[in-house]
Amino acid sequence: MPADTVQLIVQADYQVLPCLVCDGTDFDVLLTPEQIQAEAAWLRDFHRARVLCPDDDLIDKAEFTQSEPVFLLRCNACRTLLRNPQPTPKALQARYRADEYGPATLQELLENERDFFRRKANSIDLPTGSRVLEIGSFVGAFLLAAKEKGWQATGIDIGKETCEFMRGLGLEVLEGDLQSHHIPTGFDAVFIWNTFDQINEPRSLLKDLRRLLKRDGHLVLRVPNGEFKSLALQQATDAARRAEAYNNFLTFPYLCGYTRESLSHLLNEEGFEVDRITGDVILPLATANTKRYAIEEEVRIKRLVMRFCGRSKSFCYPWMDVVANVI
């Protein structure tokens, strides 16, 4: 085990975890810390070539909150992916609370995500006036889409800067986590877009969400598919690496990569029944600084990924949208 990983393990704010789904401890090593560092270097060069200002525009494209060179493991029992070691829950909160982007970047991210989350909101059948909660609201794109649908939307986010930004948009947002607030029960739906994979106590969270939802309430999750990373590493081609880059899979900056089967199992054990799981690519990475040819390439490659995954016999889409109902 490399010395830098040993150093992480002995620090008080890191922990070595079993599988978050089945508690298994028998893992295959998919990436070593050195290999994660090599992927990070390739990714920085890749995105610097896409923008007009080489040192700009790398946040959430090549610079991630989960960036440590640790091990990426795959559980041999359920095939769930896991970064190991991981920050403790307390360390995670401190890390996300301190994230800083700047007003201009936050506004650009919002505009970049508006259409994407309008489509996501339109895919959920809820009547006007429904009470909905979003966990991990980030810049508020989904909350704005929910308001357009006529839903009573509340967001919760741990980031101080992002909460201030969303309140400036007139959105109802709570700063902190679920335990920080007394939140009334009876929600028609809870949404967690691109955040559930950043939580290393998923069972505890699911218990809280089941309590907050109505008996016939919906839980909507969007998570990275661990099978996509496994397949890309197995193929080891330039095309696979570019597909990873455009879907934020290089260095695997997520604490956990569920599979369709492992996430369904986890949800069922915590009182939810999966209604549907659909495959998707990540929301647009292109921004105002991105060169036109790079925007066109991003769209083309993501379409190719979707066609490939649609023809595959396995469920290998990069991202999964999951709709589950309270049992």
Side-chain angles (χ1 to χ4, degrees), residues 18-60:
C19 176
L20 299 184
V21 173
C22 69
D23 286 328
T25 56
D26 182 18
F27 295 105
D28 282 336
V29 176
L30 295 189
L31 291 174
T32 66
E34 291 82 3
Q35 288 170 321
I36 284 184
Q37 287 177 314
E39 284 197 354
W42 189 95
L43 188 61
R44 284 192 294 271
D45 291 341
F46 172 77
H47 281 300
R48 281 171 179 155
R50 300 179 67 230
V51 298
L52 297 176
C53 303
D55 293 328
D56 293 345
D57 212 25
L58 294 180
I59 295 177
D60 288 339

Side-chain angles (χ1 to χ4, degrees), residues 78-307:
C78 68
R79 294 186 65 84
T80 299
L81 269 56
L82 192 71
R83 271 180 156 256
N84 237 343
Q86 294 189 3
T88 63
K90 183 178 180 180
L92 281 174
Q93 288 186 12
R95 180 178 300 188
Y96 285 113
R97 189 177 295 115
D99 276 348
E100 293 185 358
Y101 295 86
T105 297
L106 291 173
Q107 185 62 42
E108 188 174 29
L109 288 167
L110 174 64
E111 296 305 320
N112 210 39
E113 297 179 3
R114 289 292 296 271
D115 288 342
F116 180 86
F117 280 112
R118 282 191 181 108
R119 292 194 297 271
K120 294 301 179 186
N122 288 333
S123 71
I124 305 298
D125 186 19
L126 288 174
T128 300
S130 295
R131 289 183 62 230
V132 303
L133 175 68
E134 184 192 18
I135 297 175
S137 299
F138 193 37
V139 293
F142 177 75
L143 291 177
L144 289 172
K147 286 185 67 174
E148 291 173 358
K149 296 280 289 184
W151 302 338
Q152 300 177 50
T154 301
I156 184 165
D157 196 273
I158 203 164
K160 178 178 176 62
E161 183 188 43
T162 50
C163 284
E164 291 175 353
F165 176 78
M166 286 185 281
R167 292 188 188 113
L169 300 173
L171 298 171
E172 181 183 344
V173 182
L174 304 174
E175 183 180 334
D177 57 15
L178 286 178
Q179 286 68 43
S180 307
H181 303 275
H182 176 70
I183 300 176
T185 60
F187 284 98
D188 296 286
V190 174
F191 297 86
I192 311 180
W193 307 104
N194 303 74
T195 300
F196 191 74
D197 49 89
Q198 303 285 4
I199 294 167
N200 51 23
E201 295 181 322
R203 291 187 182 275
S204 176
L205 175 61
L206 289 172
K207 286 179 172 61
D208 287 338
L209 298 183
R210 194 172 184 277
R211 175 181 55 81
L212 290 174
L213 282 162
K214 289 182 177 178
R215 188 170 184 83
D216 57 349
H218 308 299
L219 173 62
V220 182
L221 305 175
R222 178 175 170 83
V223 295
N225 179 12
E227 291 290 0
F228 177 77
K229 181 66 177 179
S230 296
L231 177 63
L233 289 172
Q234 178 183 338
Q235 291 188 345
T237 62
D238 182 67
R241 176 161 281 200
R242 294 173 77 82
E244 284 196 81
Y246 280 124
N247 282 282
N248 277 4
F249 266 74
L250 287 177
T251 75
F252 202 77
Y254 316 105
L255 296 181
C256 188
Y258 298 96
T259 70
R260 181 174 58 172
E261 292 76 18
S262 70
L263 184 55
S264 297
H265 177 75
L266 175 65
L267 289 169
N268 187 257
E269 286 198 331
E270 296 302 331
F272 294 90
E273 182 177 28
V274 173
D275 178 60
R276 66 181 184 271
I277 299 179
T278 54
D280 201 359
V281 291
I282 201 171
L283 53 82
L285 300 178
T287 61
N289 284 337
T290 308
K291 297 176 183 177
R292 172 55 54 186
Y293 79 82
I295 297 174
E296 294 171 352
E297 182 185 41
E298 177 178 329
V299 172
R300 179 173 59 83
I301 288 183
K302 287 182 177 179
R303 285 175 178 168
L304 288 173
V305 168
M306 288 295 285
R307 283 201 294 269

